[in-house]
Amino acid sequence: MSNAAEILVIDDEPQIRKLLNITLQSNDYRVKEAVNAREGLALVANHPPDLILLDLGLPDESGHVVLEKLREWYSKPIIILSVQSSEEDIVRALDNGANDYLVKPFRTGELLARMRSLL
């Protein structure tokens, strides 16, 4: 079954991007990558993906700020992938429009299931 949904990964960690790229492509997703907030916001503006995987700890701007900016106009699913595991961070992200939140390290099978339910 090919769903060919396009996923944008906004994360500054090369190893996480590589893991997600391999995992998502092997499950028939098309993947785009951004290494910082500025690049991620530009990619979404120019070609909105079907789902965004967003890290909160970006080098140029907080993922919370990116989420708020995206939610001004982007209505498709956003899943937060972050090492920030405090209830405060999770609640803030969900209140600001994230559809889901997974703490790193995450299980790829669980991530894929959550993505399927949102897509």
Side-chain angles (χ1 to χ4, degrees), residues 17 25 36 39-41 46 49-50 54 56 62 67-70 72 78 80 83-84 86-87 94 98 101 112-113 118:
R17 289 197 314 273
Q25 287 186 9
N36 58 39
E39 191 179 310
L41 288 166
N46 292 322
D50 298 302
L54 174 63
L56 292 180
S62 161
L67 176 62
E68 289 172 27
K69 286 181 178 177
L70 286 170
E72 290 172 12
I78 299 175
I80 303 295
V83 293
Q84 299 174 23
S86 74
E87 183 181 25
L94 294 170
Y101 194 113
L112 291 167
L118 288 168

Side-chain angles (χ1 to χ4, degrees), residues 12-100:
D12 63 321
E13 294 176 62
Q15 63 275 30
I16 292 284
R17 289 197 314 273
K18 183 176 182 181
L19 167 72
L20 288 169
N21 217 327
I22 293 167
T23 301
L24 296 173
Q25 287 186 9
S26 67
N27 284 274
D28 295 324
Y29 292 105
R30 291 175 293 131
V31 182
K32 282 186 162 173
E33 297 180 5
V35 299
N36 58 39
R38 187 179 46 76
E39 191 179 310
L41 288 166
L43 279 171
V44 178
N46 292 322
H47 190 84
D50 298 302
L51 184 144
I52 296 172
L53 298 175
L54 174 63
D55 180 22
L56 292 180
L58 298 170
D60 55 341
E61 191 156 31
S62 161
H64 285 294
V65 174
V66 176
L67 176 62
E68 289 172 27
K69 286 181 178 177
L70 286 170
R71 279 304 182 221
E72 290 172 12
W73 59 275
Y74 179 83
S75 61
K76 292 179 181 173
I78 299 175
I79 299 177
I80 303 295
L81 297 177
S82 179
V83 293
Q84 299 174 23
S85 60
S86 74
E87 183 181 25
E88 181 185 353
D89 277 313
I90 296 170
V91 168
R92 179 178 171 196
L94 294 170
D95 281 348
N96 285 334
N99 297 85
D100 210 337

